[in-house]
Amino acid sequence: MSDQYSTEPLLEMYLFETSQLLEQLEQSILSSEKESGYTEDAINEIFRIMHTIKGSSAMMLFDNIAKLAHSIEDLFFYIRKEKPEKMDLSALSDLVLEGVDFIKTEVDKIKGKSPADGNAEDLVTTSKTLLAELKQMNAVPDISLITPAPVAKSTAQTTAEDILETQHYYISQANTPVSNGTFAYKAVVHFEEGCEMENIRAYTIIHNLKETAGDLYYLPADIIDSDESVNIIRKDGFQIFITTDWDYRKMHDFLMQTIFLKDMELTSLENTSVLDQFKKKDTELVEKPIKMPTGKEVNVVEKSSRIPLQEKEALPTNTTQSIISVSVVKLDKLMDLVGEMVIAEAMVIQNPDLKGLQLSNFSKAANQLNKITSEIQDIVMSIRMVPLSATFIKMHRIVRDMCKKLDKDVQLEIIGEETEVDKNIIEHISDPLMHLVRNSVDHGIETTEERLEKGKPKSGTITLEAKNAGSDVLIIVRDDGKGLNKEKILKKAKENNLLFKNEEDMTDKEIYNLILLPGFSTKEKVTEFSGRGVGMDVVTKNIEAVGGTLSVDSVADKGTVITLKIPLTLAIIDGMNIKVGKSRYTIPTISIKESFRPKESEIIHDPDGNEMIMVRGECYAIRRLHDVYRVATNITRLSEGIIIMVEQDEKTVCVFADELLGQQQVVVKALPQYIQNFKKIRGLAGCTLLGDGSISLILDVARMFNH
Amino acid sequence: MKRVLIVDDAAFMRMAIKNILVKHDFEVIDEAENGLVGLNKYKELRPDLVTMDITMPEMTGLEALKEIIAFDPNAKIVMVSAMGQEQMVMEAIRSGAKSFIVKPFKEDHVIQTLSKL
């Protein structure tokens, strides 16, 4: 990459935009494939995207990407222009998708600061072959010989022999004379090297001179539609013969204004005889009007005339200015600051110095502050929310590729993709989701023959659904495949010592959920797509890392349903603060069912000495926090403390603590690494700062008592 | 300081051009991501110079150029083109574009072109 463009933000923008365009391109191809044909819009879009990627990559000096994009652009330029009737759609889709994959890989390399050194030659060749085939398939013999597609021929490809062979000089007269011309000049103009498109630069001069010229001839004359003219101009310069009313000074100054002018020679001609010789040849004006298809222009006018003038001007400007892109780093920082602000607010309002004081004005102001901070917090949260659609849509490609390779027929249905979750969470669930979809196609859905035998519809269906459920989002991956095999799971679990209770005592659901345990995989054969030595346990781990949970359900021959429950956001939760001895803990309010002071008479002891409590006829285990975390406290009698009934993941436990401190919004902070890694303390989701400055540990009740 | 409007559908290109211009005493007053937005912004802001990409959705650079010239015949518009678009650049010059730059462009090419207008 040249220094000129190596500035970080530009590279970041390149990576961002290219990735975005690739996603768009992939979708465009997939939906075209589904509709078994490319619409005009799709072709235009693919062409434009490739054009953009080519341009940006060339600027960043990623030549392999630029070259590949260029060749695909050429292909679609042809399709766009010629609208060929016969096309090998599948080959075309394959090429573009492979191209997308190639560029994606390169982009990833660049992101990882490694050189983008992939070789796209094969793909470029495929693209060129495809273009040639396309031309051949759709050639109307006579016409195609006369008008080769303009893209195929660029200045760079014109060989030296070409130039020699076709190096004839044309002279032509420009527009109808405006003045008779009192002076005659000859000018030779040389352009700077590397300025590109010299013929059009020459044309620009002629175009601007036309107004003042009497007679105007130039050499080479076929500057408009000849590639050789570029080489002639580079070698010999661009010659102009003109009669005009302009004096030498004016003419000289005009030509000196030419952009990328290297040098220029202007000679006054004694008489116009030089020009006469051109006249004799009677060459006509070469300038052919190149018209845009008029239909397009009419369309635009029609469209605009329908909208009232004021609206027309206001509308597009508004829509574009209402959206800006912001770097995620800044949003993270903002989120952090809001978190700090929530803590600071609590520190002020719940300051121990204020205890017992009657401060009505202060309370009013504090309420106002509280209102504003929670509004800010809501807004900041909503800024970070991203719809799941992008993640979901990615799965189309995975299903398509796998179906092709495994020779299965699977439809992917997407429901509720507009559901939003925090940006950070999306990043964490993309991989697990991909894994689940792969599993469904590979292990779940049967082959077409098997399906027909079972009397099922020929093509399998995988449904990807997202919906809100309180402060969580449910993502459901459902397939109508063969379902999980209970016996196999049990057998495997036994082999690996994964059974935690008696086989007979286990519910179906418990058996199915065994597949989520580490070291479990029933597929004997490892395929390309799933079972790469990692199983569902990795999925579980990823989902748990963002505070989510996973559950499996299945019916033989009907299919499997995997449900992911993930929190909307990681950052701020409503929590109930409790006290045990000198320590503080926070329990997410959402999981608290009730809290009460137990009577001694309600307590039951089982033969192992475990404490239980009867509540409305149901029996619940009691866990004393001071025992679990070995905290010294004076309150050890159950009737003196408080019981908090917590429900999480369909398990209910009663937690015993000294007292409730109150409810507040808490900012979830990650536990320090050394606690996470070395101490392995169970059941902690993070920590937070309370209003009085003390640290409180946030409890993950379900995990605390899993064993 | 000349006021410039950048019209390009690629955010990367807009940034690349902007980065160059701001280093050389041009003021980039706004950006537009297609020809239609570009046209409206031209009418609203009356920039001294416009850089105009050719291949864009909604309204191409050529269409926008013609509309702008029809609105203001003295508009100074520089086309941002790529190799292979010669015919379109020619059409643009004929329709009133003052000059053009060719992608991938170099910093001094952009500056040379724009400062001569």
Side-chain angles (χ1 to χ4, degrees):
Chain A
M1 197 188 325
S2 79
D3 287 341
Q4 182 187 342
Y5 297 119
S6 64
T7 41
E8 277 295 306
L10 196 61
L11 178 64
E12 228 169 75
M13 176 62 88
Y14 168 79
L15 294 172
F16 170 75
E17 195 171 49
T18 309
S19 310
Q20 235 184 8
L21 289 172
L22 289 174
E23 296 291 335
Q24 211 180 321
L25 185 61
E26 200 169 67
Q27 287 325 307
S28 190
I29 292 283
L30 291 178
S31 56
S32 297
E33 208 177 40
K34 229 183 232 166
E35 284 151 26
S36 46
Y38 287 89
T39 60
E40 204 175 326
D41 282 348
I43 291 169
N44 278 333
E45 191 182 20
I46 298 166
F47 168 78
R48 254 200 329 265
I49 290 176
M50 278 305 169
H51 179 79
T52 304
I53 292 181
K54 175 192 78 172
S56 326
S57 305
M59 291 279 290
M60 298 303 289
L61 301 185
F62 300 129
D63 289 336
N64 53 348
I65 302 178
K67 218 172 152 193
L68 174 63
H70 193 168
S71 69
I72 300 178
E73 180 198 350
D74 282 355
L75 189 59
F76 279 83
F77 180 89
Y78 173 80
I79 297 172
R80 190 167 86 136
K81 197 163 163 250
E82 305 293 331
K83 303 190 174 55
E85 279 171 13
K86 289 171 248 170
M87 280 198 277
D88 183 351
L89 285 177
S90 146
L92 206 58
S93 308
D94 282 349
L95 167 74
V96 181
L97 288 178
E98 274 171 45
V100 168
D101 289 346
F102 175 84
I103 301 173
K104 269 188 187 166
T105 316
E106 296 305 292
V107 165
D108 283 344
K109 281 188 204 163
I110 300 163
K111 275 184 192 156
K113 309 251 184 269
S114 357
D117 51 2
N119 186 349
E121 281 309 321
D122 287 351
L123 283 169
V124 173
T125 316
T126 316
S127 171
K128 285 189 174 153
T129 320
L130 217 55
L131 178 59
E133 281 171 6
L134 211 55
K135 282 182 184 168
Q136 208 182 12
M137 261 195 268
N138 295 281
V140 185
D142 294 338
I143 296 170
S144 68
L145 278 177
I146 302 164
T147 50
V151 259
K153 216 175 176 193
S154 80
T155 37
Q157 287 164 333
T158 321
T159 60
E161 288 94 310
D162 281 345
I163 302 160
L164 283 174
E165 247 181 278
T166 51
Q167 204 177 41
H168 25 237
Y169 284 49
Y170 297 96
I171 303 287
S172 82
Q173 187 183 27
N175 241 350
T176 32
V178 178
S179 71
N180 290 326
T182 32
F183 305 101
Y185 303 104
K186 176 191 176 186
V188 183
V189 175
H190 288 270
F191 294 104
E192 271 180 26
E193 269 167 50
C195 74
E196 302 290 353
M197 292 196 195
E198 285 83 349
N199 55 335
I200 298 170
R201 303 204 179 275
Y203 174 78
T204 312
I205 302 179
I206 296 300
H207 180 80
N208 293 335
L209 274 175
K210 265 190 312 206
E211 302 285 298
T212 73
D215 290 331
L216 177 59
Y217 302 96
Y218 48 91
L219 204 82
D222 56 343
I223 48 173
I224 291 174
D225 45 16
S226 152
D227 291 334
E228 297 92 74
S229 63
V230 170
N231 294 297
I232 296 165
I233 296 171
R234 280 181 192 166
K235 202 167 136 250
D236 303 330
F238 180 56
Q239 301 180 43
I240 306 164
F241 300 88
I242 183 173
T243 63
T244 171
D245 287 337
W246 284 3
D247 62 17
Y248 186 89
R249 185 80 258 147
K250 202 166 177 194
M251 190 70 205
H252 185 267
D253 287 353
F254 170 83
L255 289 172
M256 288 308 283
Q257 279 303 306
T258 307
I259 296 163
F260 293 118
L261 186 72
K262 191 167 135 207
D263 56 58
M264 190 271 296
E265 222 176 277
L266 181 65
T267 14
S268 286
L269 299 174
E270 290 296 311
N271 50 54
T272 55
S273 58
V274 187
L275 276 81
D276 289 340
Q277 72 177 41
F278 297 135
K279 270 182 192 162
K280 274 178 217 146
K281 290 193 179 170
D282 199 29
T283 34
E284 270 305 302
L285 171 68
V286 174
E287 194 178 331
K288 292 176 202 145
I290 303 155
K291 280 208 177 111
M292 295 290 290
T294 42
K296 229 180 202 168
E297 282 167 38
V298 173
N299 272 345
V300 172
V301 177
E302 262 177 18
K303 213 197 279 171
S304 352
S305 58
R306 246 179 269 138
I307 314 168
L309 197 73
Q310 272 186 331
E311 225 178 291
K312 187 178 98 190
E313 281 176 22
L315 262 176
T317 326
N318 281 350
T319 48
T320 53
Q321 279 177 344
S322 61
I323 289 179
I324 55 163
S325 27
V326 181
S327 127
V328 180
V329 180
K330 281 188 191 164
L331 281 185
D332 286 346
K333 181 83 194 155
L334 182 62
M335 189 71 222
D336 277 355
L337 281 174
V338 170
E340 294 301 328
M341 191 170 72
V342 170
I343 293 171
E345 184 208 325
M347 281 179 160
V348 173
I349 295 173
Q350 300 167 18
N351 198 299
D353 292 358
L354 302 173
K355 237 177 206 166
L357 296 180
Q358 286 293 330
L359 306 162
S360 66
N361 284 327
F362 177 83
S363 301
K364 258 189 223 162
N367 277 339
Q368 179 70 7
L369 175 65
N370 183 272
K371 197 172 146 246
I372 294 169
T373 44
S374 57
E375 263 175 48
I376 291 181
Q377 194 190 312
D378 286 350
I379 295 279
V380 173
M381 296 282 208
S382 72
I383 293 175
R384 299 176 50 87
M385 297 301 247
V386 183
L388 280 162
S389 50
T391 315
F392 275 17
I393 281 169
K394 266 194 223 157
M395 305 303 156
H396 276 299
R397 174 76 192 279
I398 289 159
V399 172
R400 174 207 183 258
D401 284 1
M402 287 189 67
C403 283
K404 264 201 156 174
K405 293 231 164 115
L406 297 171
D407 200 25
K408 286 184 180 179
D409 188 359
V410 183
Q411 301 294 324
L412 179 65
E413 243 176 61
I414 287 179
I415 304 170
E417 71 272 27
E418 68 285 344
T419 311
E420 293 183 323
V421 282
D422 191 280
K423 169 106 179 90
N424 281 347
I425 292 182
I426 283 217
E427 277 161 18
H428 281 92
I429 60 170
S430 180
D431 279 355
L433 216 50
M434 215 182 287
H435 197 86
L436 292 178
V437 171
R438 279 198 180 119
N439 270 342
S440 284
V441 181
D442 195 8
H443 309 212
I445 306 278
E446 310 91 332
T447 59
T448 313
E449 299 84 63
E450 276 177 75
R451 290 185 68 88
L452 289 175
E453 254 169 51
K454 288 181 187 171
K456 287 182 170 185
K458 194 172 135 258
S459 67
T461 307
I462 295 177
T463 315
L464 212 52
E465 184 184 352
K467 58 184 175 192
N468 281 309
S471 68
D472 293 310
V473 169
L474 297 183
I475 299 178
I476 302 155
V477 184
R478 190 183 300 124
D479 69 56
D480 65 348
K482 55 180 167 252
L484 296 172
N485 185 328
K486 252 191 284 181
E487 286 71 43
K488 253 189 176 172
I489 295 174
L490 279 172
K491 189 173 151 250
K492 186 90 182 197
K494 255 185 278 173
E495 280 169 22
N496 294 322
N497 270 337
L498 292 171
L499 286 189
F500 55 88
K501 61 173 155 178
N502 258 336
E503 227 176 278
E504 296 78 36
D505 294 344
M506 289 179 85
T507 63
D508 283 1
K509 207 165 178 177
E510 278 173 326
I511 297 174
Y512 294 136
N513 282 287
L514 285 173
I515 65 167
L516 304 178
L517 296 175
F520 192 97
S521 179
T522 58
K523 185 92 178 170
E524 287 94 17
K525 214 172 79 198
V526 171
T527 67
E528 184 188 341
F529 299 109
S530 36
R532 296 172 182 156
V534 293
M536 291 291 289
D537 57 318
V538 177
V539 174
T540 317
K541 226 181 245 162
N542 275 322
I543 297 297
E544 281 178 353
V546 292
T549 55
L550 198 70
S551 71
V552 188
D553 210 350
S554 180
V555 178
D557 283 335
K558 290 267 185 239
T560 307
V561 181
I562 295 177
T563 309
L564 313 183
K565 194 167 104 181
I566 45 173
L568 274 177
T569 175
L570 295 171
I572 299 183
I573 56 165
D574 265 320
M576 174 65 78
N577 298 326
I578 55 176
K579 191 177 134 200
V580 180
K582 281 180 186 163
S583 304
R584 314 293 168 93
Y585 301 91
T586 302
I587 300 176
T589 315
I590 191 103
S591 56
I592 298 181
K593 280 182 85 177
E594 58 182 312
S595 57
F596 52 90
R597 174 155 292 172
K599 295 192 191 99
E600 291 288 351
S601 58
E602 293 163 342
I603 314 291
I604 310 163
H605 292 265
D606 75 358
D608 298 336
N610 293 324
E611 287 171 311
M612 321 264 242
I613 187 163
M614 282 290 275
V615 183
R616 292 180 291 271
E618 294 257 0
C619 206
Y620 301 99
I622 296 176
R623 301 297 159 123
R624 292 167 177 256
L625 279 183
H626 65 90
D627 276 348
V628 175
Y629 291 123
R630 293 190 206 116
V631 182
T633 176
N634 295 328
I635 299 173
T636 51
R637 286 170 63 100
L638 290 172
S639 56
E640 284 170 7
I642 191 129
I643 292 254
I644 303 134
M645 192 191 283
V646 181
E647 187 189 60
Q648 203 174 332
D649 302 344
E650 295 162 37
K651 288 187 197 99
T652 307
V653 242
C654 288
V655 174
F656 176 71
D658 293 6
E659 60 172 313
L660 298 179
L661 293 174
Q663 197 178 328
Q664 85 174 80
Q665 289 206 308
V666 295
V667 181
V668 182
K669 303 252 174 198
L671 286 171
Q673 281 298 325
Y674 68 91
I675 296 186
Q676 280 183 33
N677 294 342
F678 302 115
K679 296 285 182 182
K680 299 265 185 224
I681 303 173
R682 291 224 145 252
L684 292 185
C687 58
T688 188
L689 269 177
L690 297 184
D692 59 3
S694 60
I695 290 171
S696 170
L697 296 169
I698 300 170
L699 300 181
D700 181 347
V701 182
R703 249 181 285 180
M704 190 189 316
F705 303 124
N706 250 348
H707 291 262
Chain B
M1 224 203 249
K2 283 196 180 144
R3 299 157 64 248
V4 187
L5 170 67
I6 300 175
V7 187
D8 203 309
D9 61 332
F12 168 83
M13 276 299 163
R14 297 200 296 269
M15 197 186 215
I17 297 172
K18 188 176 179 173
N19 283 355
I20 294 174
L21 292 185
V22 294
K23 269 202 270 175
H24 291 86
D25 261 7
F26 288 93
E27 184 195 358
V28 176
I29 53 167
D30 211 341
E31 300 174 17
E33 75 281 7
N34 66 48
L36 190 60
V37 177
L39 171 64
N40 287 320
K41 287 199 170 165
Y42 186 89
K43 289 178 178 172
E44 184 192 324
L45 305 168
R46 296 300 203 96
D48 301 320
L49 285 169
V50 181
T51 70
M52 178 78 75
D53 185 31
I54 293 180
T55 313
M56 286 185 292
E58 300 285 328
M59 187 191 264
T60 68
L62 273 179
E63 290 163 339
L65 164 80
K66 287 175 189 170
E67 296 272 337
I68 293 178
I69 294 288
F71 170 78
D72 174 9
N74 295 319
K76 288 180 177 159
I77 302 174
V78 173
M79 304 309 283
V80 180
S81 69
M83 291 307 294
Q85 292 186 321
E86 284 84 354
Q87 297 298 325
M88 278 181 268
V89 179
M90 191 99 62
E91 165 85 6
I93 297 289
R94 187 174 302 137
S95 307
K98 290 283 177 285
S99 188
F100 59 93
I101 46 182
V102 185
K103 287 183 280 194
F105 44 75
K106 295 198 184 100
E107 184 166 330
D108 64 312
H109 281 189
V110 178
I111 295 307
Q112 261 202 61
T113 307
L114 265 67
S115 29
K116 281 222 179 178
L117 296 178

